[in-house]
Amino acid sequence: PSFLPSFTMSKLGVSAAYLREFVASPAFTTEWPPDTPKTTNNVKELIVMEQTKARQCCMVRLLQEERADHVQLVDKANVLVSHAWSCDFMDVVYVLLEYAAKHSDKKVLFWFDVFSVNQHKGVRHNSDWWRTTFHEKIQAIGEVLLVLAPWHDPVPLKRSWCLWEMHSALQAKDKVKLSIALPPDQRGAFLAGVTKSLNAITDALVQIDAAKSKAGLQSDEDAIREAVEQGVGFDALNVEIKNHLRGWYMETAQSLAREETAKEDGDGEMLYNLAASLLEQGEHIKALRTLERCLELRRAEYGEQHRLTANVYSQMGIVFRNMGEHDKALRMCERALKIELATVGEQHP
């Protein structure tokens, strides 16, 4: 098939200051059509394309040429935003604003395609462009930030663009950092899901199949598919993505658990289930620390002589046994048994 000449990816990104200004603007607030979802695609069509229609350019170019304060809003991008067009725009913005706040020691500029790409000119690219030029552009930016939502069935992981962006970052990991973030309203659901079911992470990962991923343009989908087939191959790509996400899922669960652990009114059941997940992953020290905090919460809420407290001692015994510390394991199991006998009696099944 014939392809149009590849465009040169803009090097410009937008600042957190511009994002705050954009979501506070009348176009996004009072003038937004009622009952219209604020997806990134709708924001592109109803605001960005309207505001850039006369100039037929990308938003970053318009800002650079027409705003006297453009140096505060637009500059060379250093973070590429990987997202799905069907996702809620504010989910993405919240992640970006939070990221910028955490990296306040540097000027963060987001290469966010809704603003950084000319939305008036659709251009097709062949597989060579995806395997070479695109990789080079990713390396020039230096970081890919994937906005993952919903956590249990992430839309971006069904999109060809996003998977290829992840692959490009992982292939150049000495030059490119791959970061992943959950929108704020997904974090509680994520931790609850992971701690409720030991198979939650596996269930999320098993749905990733790069061969079934889609793109907005059929030409992009075909070209990326060809680039994968000529390069790493779909099986290897799936393994690469799943391995990275598996590690990220567990690290994130542990991080959120640490936040829960620090709370005076932390969720004991959540911590207990997370400890079971950590134990299954072979993270014995982390499982033990989580159980220790869980024990504090169970004692405070139910007292020492309660079956839920006994369950924590029993689980700690399993952890110590797996660590080879059999004396400690025996003591924990004896405590659990003593509480069980005192609360339900010897005749309880």
Side-chain angles (χ1 to χ4, degrees):
S2 60
F3 292 88
L4 296 173
S6 297
F7 74 94
T8 301
M9 277 178 64
S10 168
K11 296 179 180 179
L12 300 175
V14 295
S15 66
Y18 175 70
L19 292 173
R20 285 191 290 269
E21 175 187 305
F22 184 88
V23 298
S25 68
F28 191 76
T29 54
T30 57
E31 297 172 4
W32 186 265
D35 303 320
T36 302
K38 289 184 176 179
T39 64
T40 304
N41 188 65
N42 285 343
V43 168
K44 176 197 74 174
E45 293 183 352
L46 299 178
I47 302 180
V48 175
M49 294 187 71
E50 282 298 311
Q51 293 182 359
T52 58
K53 182 166 59 177
R55 295 290 299 277
Q56 293 287 296
C57 66
C58 57
M59 182 63 84
V60 290
R61 185 64 64 194
L62 185 69
L63 293 170
Q64 192 178 50
E65 295 179 357
E66 296 192 354
R67 290 281 295 266
D69 60 344
H70 67 82
V71 294
Q72 303 298 322
L73 310 176
V74 176
D75 207 339
K76 184 178 182 297
N78 49 21
V79 178
L80 183 145
V81 182
S82 185
H83 68 100
W85 286 96
S86 60
C87 288
D88 188 282
F89 182 75
M90 283 307 303
D91 277 350
V92 181
V93 171
Y94 282 136
V95 166
L96 303 189
L97 293 180
E98 187 173 66
Y99 178 95
K102 289 180 178 179
H103 297 81
S104 58
D105 57 326
K106 67 177 182 178
K107 186 177 182 180
V108 178
L109 279 301
F110 299 105
W111 193 96
F112 192 178
D113 52 4
V114 68
F115 302 118
S116 298
V117 170
N118 187 339
Q119 303 299 336
H120 302 281
K121 297 181 179 180
V123 181
R124 292 179 290 176
H125 308 286
N126 61 26
S127 58
D128 287 337
W129 186 89
W130 289 101
R131 286 188 291 108
T132 57
T133 306
F134 187 77
H135 280 307
E136 293 167 2
K137 300 301 181 182
I138 291 282
Q139 292 180 35
I141 292 173
E143 182 170 359
V144 172
L145 174 59
L146 175 67
V147 181
L148 206 63
W151 78 267
H152 61 283
D153 187 19
V155 177
L157 300 183
K158 298 177 181 179
R159 310 304 295 171
S160 304
W161 263 87
C162 296
L163 293 175
W164 193 252
E165 287 162 352
M166 291 184 70
H167 170 66
S168 298
L170 292 171
Q171 287 294 296
K173 57 185 177 182
D174 56 330
K175 298 178 181 179
V176 182
K177 179 181 179 181
L178 175 58
S179 301
I180 304 174
L182 290 168
D185 65 352
Q186 283 288 306
R187 293 170 195 166
F190 166 72
L191 185 55
V194 169
T195 55
K196 184 177 181 180
S197 170
L198 300 182
N199 297 319
I201 293 176
T202 301
D203 292 344
L205 292 174
V206 78
Q207 299 182 66
I208 299 173
D209 186 351
K212 295 180 180 179
S213 62
K214 301 294 182 181
L217 294 175
Q218 185 63 46
S219 57
D220 280 351
E221 184 179 324
D222 293 341
I224 293 174
R225 178 180 299 277
E226 185 178 340
V228 173
E229 291 172 343
Q230 293 177 352
V232 64
F234 282 109
D235 288 342
L237 178 59
N238 286 336
V239 170
E240 176 185 57
I241 298 296
K242 289 179 181 181
N243 284 344
H244 186 81
L245 283 171
R246 182 178 290 106
W248 177 83
Y249 272 132
M250 285 308 303
E251 289 175 8
T252 303
Q254 292 164 26
S255 176
L256 293 174
R258 283 194 294 272
E259 295 177 11
E260 189 68 30
T261 299
K263 297 178 183 177
E264 290 187 9
D265 58 345
D267 189 328
E269 182 180 2
M270 185 177 289
L271 292 175
Y272 182 85
N273 291 333
L274 177 61
S277 296
L278 292 169
L279 178 60
E280 187 180 65
Q281 298 290 324
E283 298 282 359
H284 298 117
I285 298 299
K286 293 176 181 177
L288 186 60
R289 297 292 172 262
T290 304
L291 286 169
E292 287 171 349
R293 176 54 178 156
C294 178
L295 182 61
E296 292 177 2
L297 294 171
R298 289 279 171 88
R299 281 171 164 170
E301 184 173 0
Y302 301 107
E304 178 75 9
Q305 300 299 312
H306 195 281
R307 291 194 70 188
L308 291 178
T309 304
N311 289 345
V312 180
Y313 281 125
S314 179
Q315 193 77 342
M316 291 175 74
I318 294 173
V319 175
F320 280 125
R321 182 199 65 191
N322 289 0
M323 294 172 65
E325 299 189 38
H326 300 292
D327 289 343
K328 291 181 179 178
L330 181 59
R331 286 199 296 273
M332 293 297 104
C333 292
E334 286 175 341
R335 284 188 186 181
L337 179 60
K338 185 177 180 180
I339 295 171
E340 289 280 356
L341 292 174
T343 54
V344 300
E346 294 185 9
Q347 303 304 316
H348 192 275

